[in-house]
Amino acid sequence: MIDIVNPATEQVIGSVSPGDVDAAVAAARAAQPAWAALPRAERAARLRALLDGLTEAAPGLAELISAEMGAPLPVARKVQVGLALATVQSMAELLERPEEPERIGNSEIYREPVGVVAAITPWNYPLHQTVAKVAPALAAGNTVVHKPSEVAPLSADRLAELVRAAGIPDGVYNVVHGYGDPTGAELAGHPGIDLVSFTGSTAAGRKVAALAAPNLTRVALELGGKSANVILPDADLAVAVKVGVANCYLNSGQTCTAWTRMLVHESRHDEAVELAVAAAAKYTMGDPADPATRLGPLASAAQRDRVLGHIERGLADGATMAYGKAEVPPVGYYVAPVVFAGVDPDAAIAQEEVFGPVLSIIRYRDEDDAARIANATRYGLAGAVWSADRDHALAFARRMRTGQVDVNGGAFNPLAPFGGVGHSGYGRELGVHGYEEFTAVKAVQL
Ligand code: NAD
Protein backbone atom coordinates (compact mmCIF):
# COMPACT_ATOMS: atom_id res chain seq x y z
CA MET A 1 0.00 0.00 0.00
CA ILE A 2 1.09 3.57 -0.69
CA ASP A 3 0.08 6.03 2.05
CA ILE A 4 -1.18 9.44 0.98
CA VAL A 5 -0.08 12.22 3.33
CA ASN A 6 -1.76 15.61 3.72
CA PRO A 7 1.26 17.95 3.42
CA ALA A 8 -0.34 20.62 5.64
CA THR A 9 -1.07 18.28 8.56
CA GLU A 10 1.47 15.50 7.87
CA GLN A 11 -1.40 13.05 8.56
CA VAL A 12 -2.14 10.00 6.41
CA ILE A 13 -5.47 10.64 4.66
CA GLY A 14 -5.71 7.55 2.50
CA SER A 15 -3.83 4.87 0.68
CA VAL A 16 -3.77 3.18 -2.72
CA SER A 17 -2.46 -0.20 -3.75
CA PRO A 18 -0.26 -0.76 -6.81
CA GLY A 19 -2.29 -2.02 -9.76
CA ASP A 20 -1.84 -4.63 -12.47
CA VAL A 21 -0.54 -2.96 -15.65
CA ASP A 22 -1.11 -6.00 -17.90
CA ALA A 23 -4.75 -6.31 -16.82
CA ALA A 24 -5.38 -2.58 -17.33
CA VAL A 25 -3.81 -2.57 -20.80
CA ALA A 26 -5.81 -5.68 -21.75
CA ALA A 27 -9.05 -4.00 -20.58
CA ALA A 28 -8.22 -0.86 -22.55
CA ARG A 29 -7.39 -2.84 -25.71
CA ALA A 30 -10.63 -4.81 -25.45
CA ALA A 31 -12.74 -1.69 -25.02
CA GLN A 32 -11.10 0.46 -27.70
CA PRO A 33 -12.77 -0.72 -30.95
CA ALA A 34 -16.33 -0.31 -29.64
CA TRP A 35 -15.54 3.08 -28.10
CA ALA A 36 -13.99 4.31 -31.35
CA ALA A 37 -16.95 2.98 -33.33
CA LEU A 38 -19.46 5.11 -31.40
CA PRO A 39 -20.72 8.07 -33.44
CA ARG A 40 -18.98 11.35 -32.58
CA ALA A 41 -22.22 12.77 -31.18
CA GLU A 42 -22.49 9.80 -28.81
CA ARG A 43 -18.94 10.28 -27.47
CA ALA A 44 -19.72 14.01 -27.14
CA ALA A 45 -22.84 13.19 -25.10
CA ARG A 46 -20.78 11.02 -22.73
CA LEU A 47 -18.25 13.83 -22.30
CA ARG A 48 -21.14 16.24 -21.59
CA ALA A 49 -22.40 13.82 -18.94
CA LEU A 50 -18.89 13.69 -17.48
CA LEU A 51 -18.79 17.50 -17.44
CA ASP A 52 -22.08 17.56 -15.52
CA GLY A 53 -20.75 15.03 -13.02
CA LEU A 54 -17.48 16.92 -12.58
CA THR A 55 -19.32 20.22 -12.15
CA GLU A 56 -21.46 18.74 -9.40
CA ALA A 57 -18.46 17.11 -7.75
CA ALA A 58 -16.25 20.22 -8.10
CA PRO A 59 -16.38 21.49 -4.49
CA GLY A 60 -15.50 18.06 -3.09
CA LEU A 61 -12.80 17.53 -5.70
CA ALA A 62 -11.18 20.86 -4.81
CA GLU A 63 -11.10 19.84 -1.14
CA LEU A 64 -9.68 16.43 -1.99
CA ILE A 65 -6.90 17.88 -4.17
CA SER A 66 -6.11 20.53 -1.57
CA ALA A 67 -5.84 17.80 1.07
CA GLU A 68 -3.60 15.52 -1.00
CA MET A 69 -1.17 18.13 -2.34
CA GLY A 70 -1.62 21.32 -0.31
CA ALA A 71 -2.97 23.94 -2.77
CA PRO A 72 -4.95 26.72 -1.06
CA LEU A 73 -8.66 26.08 -1.61
CA PRO A 74 -9.24 29.05 -3.97
CA VAL A 75 -6.38 27.78 -6.19
CA ALA A 76 -7.76 24.24 -6.00
CA ARG A 77 -11.23 25.47 -7.04
CA LYS A 78 -10.29 27.92 -9.73
CA VAL A 79 -7.21 26.36 -11.26
CA GLN A 80 -7.00 22.69 -10.28
CA VAL A 81 -10.68 21.92 -10.89
CA GLY A 82 -11.64 24.92 -13.03
CA LEU A 83 -9.15 24.06 -15.78
CA ALA A 84 -10.29 20.43 -15.82
CA LEU A 85 -13.90 21.54 -16.37
CA ALA A 86 -12.84 23.89 -19.18
CA THR A 87 -10.94 21.08 -20.91
CA VAL A 88 -13.81 18.56 -20.80
CA GLN A 89 -16.16 21.24 -22.11
CA SER A 90 -13.80 22.17 -24.94
CA MET A 91 -13.49 18.54 -26.04
CA ALA A 92 -17.27 18.01 -25.96
CA GLU A 93 -17.69 21.15 -28.09
CA LEU A 94 -15.05 19.99 -30.51
CA LEU A 95 -16.85 16.67 -30.98
CA GLU A 96 -20.21 18.38 -31.40
CA ARG A 97 -18.95 20.06 -34.55
CA PRO A 98 -19.28 17.80 -37.63
CA GLU A 99 -16.11 16.08 -38.76
CA GLU A 100 -14.72 18.01 -41.73
CA PRO A 101 -11.82 16.20 -43.33
CA GLU A 102 -9.14 18.48 -44.72
CA ARG A 103 -8.90 18.36 -48.54
CA ILE A 104 -5.57 18.37 -50.34
CA GLY A 105 -6.02 17.91 -54.07
CA ASN A 106 -7.68 14.54 -54.58
CA SER A 107 -7.12 13.50 -50.95
CA GLU A 108 -9.29 13.68 -47.86
CA ILE A 109 -7.34 13.74 -44.60
CA TYR A 110 -8.89 12.05 -41.57
CA ARG A 111 -7.89 12.08 -37.91
CA GLU A 112 -8.28 8.61 -36.43
CA PRO A 113 -7.70 7.32 -32.89
CA VAL A 114 -4.20 6.13 -32.06
CA GLY A 115 -5.48 3.18 -29.98
CA VAL A 116 -4.56 2.74 -26.33
CA VAL A 117 -3.00 5.72 -24.57
CA ALA A 118 -0.84 5.52 -21.44
CA ALA A 119 -1.25 8.70 -19.40
CA ILE A 120 1.39 9.28 -16.70
CA THR A 121 0.80 12.38 -14.56
CA PRO A 122 2.47 14.36 -11.74
CA TRP A 123 1.17 15.69 -8.42
CA ASN A 124 1.18 19.46 -8.88
CA TYR A 125 -2.12 19.81 -10.82
CA PRO A 126 -3.27 16.20 -10.51
CA LEU A 127 -6.77 16.49 -11.97
CA HIS A 128 -6.08 19.15 -14.61
CA GLN A 129 -3.07 17.28 -16.02
CA THR A 130 -5.04 14.05 -16.07
CA VAL A 131 -8.02 15.57 -17.82
CA ALA A 132 -5.75 17.36 -20.32
CA LYS A 133 -4.84 13.86 -21.54
CA VAL A 134 -7.96 11.79 -20.83
CA ALA A 135 -10.57 14.17 -22.32
CA PRO A 136 -8.94 14.58 -25.76
CA ALA A 137 -7.84 10.93 -25.84
CA LEU A 138 -11.39 9.73 -25.21
CA ALA A 139 -12.86 12.36 -27.53
CA ALA A 140 -10.69 11.02 -30.36
CA GLY A 141 -11.82 7.42 -29.76
CA ASN A 142 -8.86 6.11 -27.77
CA THR A 143 -8.98 4.27 -24.48
CA VAL A 144 -6.64 5.17 -21.63
CA VAL A 145 -4.56 3.55 -18.93
CA HIS A 146 -3.68 6.23 -16.39
CA LYS A 147 -0.96 6.09 -13.79
CA PRO A 148 -1.41 9.06 -11.48
CA SER A 149 1.35 10.35 -9.24
CA GLU A 150 1.88 8.25 -6.14
CA VAL A 151 1.96 11.53 -4.17
CA ALA A 152 -1.54 12.72 -5.18
CA PRO A 153 -3.55 9.85 -6.71
CA LEU A 154 -6.93 10.28 -4.99
CA SER A 155 -8.59 12.57 -7.54
CA ALA A 156 -7.95 9.93 -10.23
CA ASP A 157 -10.11 7.43 -8.35
CA ARG A 158 -12.82 10.05 -8.05
CA LEU A 159 -12.54 10.78 -11.77
CA ALA A 160 -12.93 7.06 -12.52
CA GLU A 161 -16.20 7.02 -10.54
CA LEU A 162 -17.47 10.03 -12.49
CA VAL A 163 -16.44 8.45 -15.80
CA ARG A 164 -18.48 5.38 -14.95
CA ALA A 165 -21.45 7.47 -13.80
CA ALA A 166 -21.31 9.33 -17.14
CA GLY A 167 -22.06 6.07 -18.95
CA ILE A 168 -18.58 5.68 -20.40
CA PRO A 169 -18.10 1.92 -20.78
CA ASP A 170 -15.80 -0.15 -18.59
CA GLY A 171 -12.28 -0.40 -19.94
CA VAL A 172 -12.31 3.04 -21.59
CA TYR A 173 -10.59 4.80 -18.66
CA ASN A 174 -8.44 2.62 -16.40
CA VAL A 175 -6.47 3.78 -13.36
CA VAL A 176 -3.35 1.91 -12.26
CA HIS A 177 -1.73 3.14 -9.07
CA GLY A 178 1.92 2.70 -8.26
CA TYR A 179 5.33 4.31 -8.13
CA GLY A 180 7.09 5.63 -11.22
CA ASP A 181 9.37 2.63 -11.11
CA PRO A 182 8.17 -0.11 -11.51
CA THR A 183 4.53 0.72 -12.40
CA GLY A 184 5.02 3.81 -14.61
CA ALA A 185 8.03 2.25 -16.29
CA GLU A 186 6.14 -0.98 -17.01
CA LEU A 187 3.34 1.01 -18.61
CA ALA A 188 5.68 3.17 -20.72
CA GLY A 189 7.42 0.08 -22.07
CA HIS A 190 4.29 -2.03 -22.56
CA PRO A 191 3.86 -3.35 -26.12
CA GLY A 192 0.07 -2.92 -25.82
CA ILE A 193 0.40 0.87 -25.60
CA ASP A 194 0.18 2.98 -28.77
CA LEU A 195 1.00 6.38 -27.31
CA VAL A 196 2.51 7.50 -24.02
CA SER A 197 1.48 10.96 -22.88
CA PHE A 198 3.71 11.92 -19.98
CA THR A 199 3.77 15.00 -17.74
CA GLY A 200 6.47 15.25 -15.11
CA SER A 201 10.14 15.91 -14.63
CA THR A 202 12.63 16.02 -17.48
CA ALA A 203 14.61 13.16 -15.89
CA ALA A 204 11.59 10.82 -15.80
CA GLY A 205 10.46 11.98 -19.26
CA ARG A 206 13.80 10.94 -20.71
CA LYS A 207 13.38 7.46 -19.17
CA VAL A 208 9.83 7.16 -20.48
CA ALA A 209 10.94 8.02 -24.03
CA ALA A 210 13.71 5.41 -23.81
CA LEU A 211 11.30 2.75 -22.50
CA ALA A 212 8.82 3.46 -25.30
CA ALA A 213 11.47 3.43 -28.04
CA PRO A 214 11.88 -0.36 -28.52
CA ASN A 215 8.16 -0.67 -29.32
CA LEU A 216 8.26 2.49 -31.47
CA THR A 217 5.46 3.77 -29.25
CA ARG A 218 4.63 7.41 -29.88
CA VAL A 219 5.51 9.71 -26.99
CA ALA A 220 4.33 13.18 -25.95
CA LEU A 221 6.29 14.83 -23.14
CA GLU A 222 5.27 17.81 -21.00
CA LEU A 223 8.29 18.39 -18.79
CA GLY A 224 9.89 21.02 -16.59
CA GLY A 225 10.56 24.69 -17.14
CA LYS A 226 12.66 27.68 -16.10
CA SER A 227 10.60 30.40 -17.69
CA ALA A 228 11.71 34.00 -18.10
CA ASN A 229 9.58 37.03 -17.32
CA VAL A 230 11.25 39.78 -19.35
CA ILE A 231 10.40 43.30 -18.22
CA LEU A 232 11.50 45.70 -20.96
CA PRO A 233 12.74 49.14 -19.82
CA ASP A 234 9.56 51.00 -20.82
CA ALA A 235 7.16 48.60 -19.05
CA ASP A 236 4.98 49.47 -16.06
CA LEU A 237 7.37 47.96 -13.52
CA ALA A 238 4.93 47.88 -10.59
CA VAL A 239 2.37 45.82 -12.53
CA ALA A 240 4.92 43.56 -14.21
CA VAL A 241 6.63 42.72 -10.91
CA LYS A 242 3.38 42.16 -9.02
CA VAL A 243 1.97 39.83 -11.67
CA GLY A 244 5.38 38.20 -12.06
CA VAL A 245 5.65 37.36 -8.35
CA ALA A 246 2.09 36.01 -8.32
CA ASN A 247 2.87 33.80 -11.32
CA CYS A 248 6.07 32.51 -9.72
CA TYR A 249 4.44 31.67 -6.38
CA LEU A 250 1.18 30.18 -7.70
CA ASN A 251 0.57 26.75 -6.19
CA SER A 252 3.63 27.33 -3.94
CA GLY A 253 5.78 27.60 -7.05
CA GLN A 254 4.91 24.06 -8.08
CA THR A 255 3.84 25.06 -11.57
CA CYS A 256 5.75 23.94 -14.63
CA THR A 257 5.10 27.25 -16.42
CA ALA A 258 6.14 29.43 -13.43
CA TRP A 259 8.10 32.55 -14.39
CA THR A 260 10.95 31.80 -12.03
CA ARG A 261 13.46 34.15 -13.67
CA MET A 262 12.59 37.85 -13.67
CA LEU A 263 14.76 39.71 -16.17
CA VAL A 264 15.02 43.42 -15.41
CA HIS A 265 17.06 46.20 -17.03
CA GLU A 266 20.09 46.98 -14.86
CA SER A 267 18.88 50.56 -14.34
CA ARG A 268 15.66 49.28 -12.71
CA HIS A 269 16.98 46.21 -10.89
CA ASP A 270 16.97 47.66 -7.36
CA GLU A 271 13.51 49.14 -7.79
CA ALA A 272 12.22 45.77 -9.05
CA VAL A 273 13.76 43.98 -6.07
CA GLU A 274 12.01 46.38 -3.68
CA LEU A 275 8.67 45.79 -5.39
CA ALA A 276 9.17 42.01 -5.43
CA VAL A 277 10.06 41.94 -1.72
CA ALA A 278 6.94 43.95 -0.88
CA ALA A 279 4.83 41.54 -2.95
CA ALA A 280 6.47 38.43 -1.45
CA ALA A 281 5.80 39.69 2.09
CA LYS A 282 2.07 39.46 1.35
CA TYR A 283 2.23 35.69 0.74
CA THR A 284 0.76 34.47 4.01
CA MET A 285 1.59 30.82 4.63
CA GLY A 286 -0.81 28.54 6.43
CA ASP A 287 -3.72 26.14 6.36
CA PRO A 288 -4.85 25.69 2.74
CA ALA A 289 -8.47 25.85 3.91
CA ASP A 290 -8.00 29.28 5.56
CA PRO A 291 -9.17 32.04 3.18
CA ALA A 292 -6.24 34.23 4.34
CA THR A 293 -3.69 31.69 3.08
CA ARG A 294 -1.92 32.49 -0.18
CA LEU A 295 0.87 29.92 0.12
CA GLY A 296 0.18 26.34 1.08
CA PRO A 297 2.82 23.73 1.91
CA LEU A 298 4.85 21.95 -0.74
CA ALA A 299 3.32 18.65 -1.78
CA SER A 300 5.67 16.35 0.11
CA ALA A 301 8.56 16.31 2.56
CA ALA A 302 10.85 15.21 -0.29
CA GLN A 303 9.82 18.23 -2.38
CA ARG A 304 10.35 20.57 0.57
CA ASP A 305 13.84 19.17 1.09
CA ARG A 306 14.67 19.50 -2.62
CA VAL A 307 13.58 23.15 -2.62
CA LEU A 308 15.57 23.93 0.55
CA GLY A 309 18.60 22.35 -1.13
CA HIS A 310 18.18 24.65 -4.16
CA ILE A 311 17.93 27.70 -1.88
CA GLU A 312 21.13 26.73 -0.05
CA ARG A 313 22.93 26.22 -3.34
CA GLY A 314 21.72 29.66 -4.49
CA LEU A 315 23.17 31.27 -1.37
CA ALA A 316 26.44 29.33 -1.69
CA ASP A 317 26.74 30.52 -5.31
CA GLY A 318 26.54 34.14 -4.13
CA ALA A 319 22.94 35.20 -4.85
CA THR A 320 21.59 37.85 -2.48
CA MET A 321 18.52 36.75 -0.54
CA ALA A 322 16.45 39.94 -0.63
CA TYR A 323 13.51 38.16 1.00
CA GLY A 324 13.29 34.81 2.72
CA LYS A 325 13.91 32.96 5.94
CA ALA A 326 10.45 33.95 7.25
CA GLU A 327 9.02 31.68 9.93
CA VAL A 328 7.04 28.74 8.63
CA PRO A 329 4.12 26.98 10.36
CA PRO A 330 5.45 24.32 12.78
CA VAL A 331 3.58 21.45 11.12
CA GLY A 332 3.46 20.88 7.37
CA TYR A 333 5.99 20.92 4.55
CA TYR A 334 6.20 24.70 4.22
CA VAL A 335 8.94 26.73 2.58
CA ALA A 336 8.90 30.50 3.02
CA PRO A 337 8.86 32.49 -0.23
CA VAL A 338 12.26 33.63 -1.45
CA VAL A 339 13.40 36.52 -3.64
CA PHE A 340 16.98 36.25 -4.87
CA ALA A 341 18.43 39.47 -6.29
CA GLY A 342 21.33 40.05 -8.66
CA VAL A 343 21.37 36.41 -9.72
CA ASP A 344 24.06 35.26 -12.16
CA PRO A 345 22.10 33.90 -15.15
CA ASP A 346 24.45 30.91 -15.33
CA ALA A 347 24.13 30.00 -11.62
CA ALA A 348 22.35 26.76 -10.72
CA ILE A 349 19.44 28.67 -9.12
CA ALA A 350 18.85 30.38 -12.50
CA GLN A 351 19.27 27.23 -14.56
CA GLU A 352 17.60 24.40 -12.64
CA GLU A 353 13.91 23.95 -12.03
CA VAL A 354 13.28 24.55 -8.30
CA PHE A 355 9.53 23.82 -8.17
CA GLY A 356 9.02 25.92 -5.05
CA PRO A 357 8.31 29.58 -4.18
CA VAL A 358 11.71 30.91 -5.27
CA LEU A 359 12.13 33.91 -7.59
CA SER A 360 15.47 34.86 -9.16
CA ILE A 361 15.85 38.46 -10.34
CA ILE A 362 18.47 38.84 -13.07
CA ARG A 363 19.89 42.05 -14.57
CA TYR A 364 20.28 42.58 -18.32
CA ARG A 365 22.16 45.30 -20.18
CA ASP A 366 20.07 45.73 -23.31
CA GLU A 367 17.38 43.91 -25.24
CA ASP A 368 19.77 41.57 -27.03
CA ASP A 369 21.24 40.64 -23.68
CA ALA A 370 17.72 40.02 -22.32
CA ALA A 371 16.89 37.74 -25.27
CA ARG A 372 20.18 35.88 -24.87
CA ILE A 373 19.60 35.29 -21.13
CA ALA A 374 15.93 34.35 -21.63
CA ASN A 375 16.97 31.66 -24.11
CA ALA A 376 20.03 30.42 -22.21
CA THR A 377 18.52 27.49 -20.33
CA ARG A 378 17.87 23.92 -21.50
CA TYR A 379 14.16 24.51 -21.03
CA GLY A 380 11.55 26.31 -23.13
CA LEU A 381 8.05 25.96 -21.73
CA ALA A 382 6.58 29.39 -21.01
CA GLY A 383 7.57 33.02 -20.61
CA ALA A 384 6.40 36.59 -20.49
CA VAL A 385 7.35 39.98 -21.84
CA TRP A 386 6.19 43.44 -20.77
CA SER A 387 6.45 46.74 -22.64
CA ALA A 388 4.46 49.96 -23.00
CA ASP A 389 4.52 49.20 -26.74
CA ARG A 390 2.56 46.01 -27.41
CA ASP A 391 3.99 45.46 -30.89
CA HIS A 392 7.48 45.80 -29.51
CA ALA A 393 6.64 43.21 -26.83
CA LEU A 394 5.21 40.91 -29.48
CA ALA A 395 8.38 41.22 -31.55
CA PHE A 396 10.39 40.26 -28.46
CA ALA A 397 8.02 37.35 -27.75
CA ARG A 398 8.87 35.99 -31.20
CA ARG A 399 12.55 35.90 -30.21
CA MET A 400 11.89 33.73 -27.14
CA ARG A 401 12.62 30.03 -27.63
CA THR A 402 9.65 28.65 -25.75
CA GLY A 403 6.24 27.03 -26.21
CA GLN A 404 4.14 29.98 -25.03
CA VAL A 405 4.62 33.62 -24.11
CA ASP A 406 2.25 36.02 -22.34
CA VAL A 407 2.46 39.62 -23.54
CA ASN A 408 1.71 42.26 -20.87
CA GLY A 409 -0.01 39.66 -18.68
CA GLY A 410 -2.16 38.09 -21.43
CA ALA A 411 -4.50 35.59 -19.74
CA PHE A 412 -4.01 31.82 -19.84
CA ASN A 413 -6.04 30.44 -22.73
CA PRO A 414 -7.30 26.88 -22.15
CA LEU A 415 -7.88 26.45 -25.90
CA ALA A 416 -4.36 27.45 -26.96
CA PRO A 417 -1.74 24.73 -27.58
CA PHE A 418 0.29 24.03 -24.44
CA GLY A 419 3.74 22.43 -24.45
CA GLY A 420 7.41 23.08 -24.71
CA VAL A 421 10.62 22.93 -26.69
CA GLY A 422 14.05 21.64 -25.70
CA HIS A 423 14.14 19.90 -22.33
CA SER A 424 10.57 21.04 -21.66
CA GLY A 425 9.48 18.25 -23.99
CA TYR A 426 7.51 17.86 -27.19
CA GLY A 427 3.88 17.48 -28.15
CA ARG A 428 1.00 19.81 -27.36
CA GLU A 429 -2.00 19.61 -25.06
CA LEU A 430 -5.35 21.47 -24.92
CA GLY A 431 -7.59 22.78 -27.68
CA VAL A 432 -7.53 21.46 -31.22
CA HIS A 433 -3.77 20.87 -31.11
CA GLY A 434 -4.20 18.80 -27.95
CA TYR A 435 -6.95 16.75 -29.58
CA GLU A 436 -4.81 16.12 -32.66
CA GLU A 437 -1.97 14.83 -30.45
CA PHE A 438 -4.16 11.80 -29.74
CA THR A 439 -4.93 11.05 -33.39
CA ALA A 440 -3.22 9.38 -36.31
CA VAL A 441 -3.48 11.05 -39.71
CA LYS A 442 -4.96 9.07 -42.60
CA ALA A 443 -4.96 10.27 -46.22
CA VAL A 444 -7.64 8.83 -48.50
CA GLN A 445 -7.20 9.43 -52.24
CA LEU A 446 -10.40 9.82 -54.25
P1 NAD B 1 8.06 12.99 -11.75
O1 NAD B 1 8.73 13.01 -13.05
O2 NAD B 1 8.80 12.49 -10.58
O3 NAD B 1 6.75 12.09 -11.80
C1 NAD B 1 5.74 12.30 -12.78
C2 NAD B 1 5.03 10.99 -13.00
O4 NAD B 1 5.93 10.09 -13.64
C3 NAD B 1 4.57 10.29 -11.74
O5 NAD B 1 3.35 9.64 -12.00
C4 NAD B 1 5.67 9.28 -11.50
O6 NAD B 1 5.27 8.18 -10.74
C5 NAD B 1 6.03 8.89 -12.91
N1 NAD B 1 7.38 8.36 -13.10
C6 NAD B 1 8.51 8.67 -12.41
N2 NAD B 1 9.54 7.96 -12.87
C7 NAD B 1 9.08 7.21 -13.89
C8 NAD B 1 9.67 6.24 -14.77
N3 NAD B 1 10.95 5.93 -14.69
N4 NAD B 1 8.89 5.67 -15.70
C9 NAD B 1 7.58 5.99 -15.79
N5 NAD B 1 6.96 6.86 -14.98
C10 NAD B 1 7.70 7.46 -14.04
O7 NAD B 1 7.50 14.46 -11.55
P2 NAD B 1 6.72 15.05 -10.32
O8 NAD B 1 7.72 15.26 -9.24
O9 NAD B 1 5.51 14.25 -10.04
O10 NAD B 1 6.21 16.46 -10.92
C11 NAD B 1 6.99 17.56 -10.97
C12 NAD B 1 7.63 17.73 -12.35
O11 NAD B 1 6.64 17.72 -13.36
C13 NAD B 1 8.32 19.05 -12.50
O12 NAD B 1 9.57 18.86 -13.11
C14 NAD B 1 7.40 19.85 -13.41
O13 NAD B 1 7.99 20.86 -14.14
C15 NAD B 1 6.84 18.81 -14.26
N6 NAD B 1 5.57 19.26 -14.83
C16 NAD B 1 5.48 19.59 -16.15
C17 NAD B 1 4.29 20.04 -16.69
C18 NAD B 1 4.14 20.40 -18.13
O14 NAD B 1 3.04 20.42 -18.63
N7 NAD B 1 5.18 20.70 -18.85
C19 NAD B 1 3.18 20.13 -15.89
C20 NAD B 1 3.30 19.80 -14.55
C21 NAD B 1 4.51 19.34 -14.05
Side-chain angles (χ1 to χ4, degrees):
M1 298 295 276
I2 303 171
D3 283 340
I4 313 307
V5 176
N6 179 325
T9 62
E10 303 184 25
Q11 301 293 312
V12 174
I13 55 165
S15 61
V16 293
S17 46
D20 180 338
V21 170
D22 283 334
V25 174
R29 288 225 78 82
Q32 200 269 330
W35 176 247
L38 280 184
R40 262 169 94 87
E42 187 57 37
R43 287 204 304 277
R46 307 284 165 101
L47 286 183
R48 281 273 169 212
L50 177 61
L51 178 61
D52 291 345
L54 275 166
T55 305
E56 204 179 312
L61 271 166
E63 280 169 21
L64 183 66
I65 292 167
S66 176
E68 68 177 352
M69 55 67 66
L73 264 183
V75 174
R77 287 193 195 106
K78 189 168 172 223
V79 188
Q80 303 270 7
V81 179
L83 287 179
L85 296 178
T87 301
V88 177
Q89 179 168 344
S90 71
M91 291 303 151
E93 283 169 2
L94 195 146
L95 278 188
E96 282 157 1
R97 294 197 288 273
E99 186 178 21
E100 278 172 19
E102 187 187 349
R103 274 199 161 264
I104 303 177
N106 67 321
S107 300
E108 282 190 349
I109 316 300
Y110 290 90
R111 294 261 169 195
E112 307 209 326
V114 179
V116 176
V117 170
I120 303 178
T121 54
W123 44 258
N124 57 336
Y125 291 94
L127 181 69
H128 159 58
Q129 280 147 348
T130 296
V131 168
K133 301 179 188 315
V134 173
L138 265 50
N142 304 283
T143 54
V144 175
V145 179
H146 174 211
K147 197 210 79 66
S149 165
E150 61 277 22
V151 176
L154 301 179
S155 59
D157 286 343
R158 189 77 188 95
L159 178 66
E161 290 165 13
L162 294 168
V163 163
R164 175 170 289 162
I168 294 170
D170 280 357
V172 172
Y173 172 58
N174 308 273
V175 179
V176 176
H177 291 296
Y179 292 106
D181 197 1
T183 308
E186 208 185 308
L187 187 57
H190 201 290
I193 295 296
D194 299 296
L195 185 154
V196 185
S197 178
F198 173 87
T199 298
S201 61
T202 298
R206 192 178 285 121
K207 287 184 192 161
V208 162
L211 288 162
N215 297 319
L216 299 180
T217 304
R218 262 173 64 183
V219 177
L221 301 174
E222 304 286 353
L223 309 176
K226 193 73 196 176
S227 298
N229 176 18
V230 181
I231 305 177
L232 295 177
D234 65 348
D236 182 335
L237 193 65
V239 173
V241 171
K242 188 170 166 230
V243 176
V245 169
N247 179 292
C248 181
Y249 291 168
L250 175 69
N251 211 31
S252 293
Q254 302 164 119
T255 302
C256 48
T257 52
W259 307 337
T260 49
R261 298 181 297 145
M262 185 181 283
L263 273 55
V264 187
H265 189 259
E266 56 191 1
S267 66
R268 306 192 77 185
H269 172 269
D270 294 355
E271 198 188 336
V273 171
E274 239 175 71
L275 289 163
V277 167
K282 292 189 181 142
Y283 277 76
T284 314
M285 282 172 284
D287 177 0
D290 183 339
T293 295
R294 292 187 71 190
L295 216 57
L298 297 191
S300 65
Q303 187 60 17
R304 181 215 29 213
D305 295 345
R306 266 198 292 271
V307 171
L308 292 176
H310 282 291
I311 294 170
E312 268 173 30
R313 174 85 195 271
L315 287 169
D317 286 349
T320 305
M321 190 187 267
Y323 187 83
K325 299 219 159 126
E327 279 218 357
V328 297
V331 176
Y333 309 133
Y334 290 88
V335 173
V338 172
V339 176
F340 278 127
V343 175
D344 175 348
D346 296 328
I349 197 73
Q351 288 291 323
E352 289 172 14
E353 185 178 53
V354 174
F355 232 53
V358 180
L359 176 68
S360 293
I361 302 185
I362 300 171
R363 297 183 179 88
Y364 66 81
R365 284 189 309 279
D366 54 31
E367 234 173 86
D368 285 345
D369 195 34
R372 182 191 62 75
I373 294 169
N375 292 337
T377 78
R378 301 174 299 158
Y379 296 110
L381 186 57
V385 56
W386 301 79
S387 166
D389 176 347
R390 202 184 72 158
D391 290 343
H392 190 86
L394 181 56
F396 190 92
R398 297 294 306 272
R399 295 176 71 181
M400 293 173 77
R401 190 179 154 275
T402 186
Q404 47 257 304
V405 184
D406 299 345
V407 169
N408 289 339
F412 181 77
N413 178 356
L415 299 178
F418 178 92
V421 299
H423 284 205
S424 293
Y426 44 77
R428 292 293 178 268
E429 290 189 333
L430 306 181
V432 175
H433 294 82
Y435 172 84
E436 290 181 347
E437 190 72 50
F438 294 96
T439 63
V441 176
K442 179 183 281 177
V444 178
Q445 285 61 246
L446 301 170

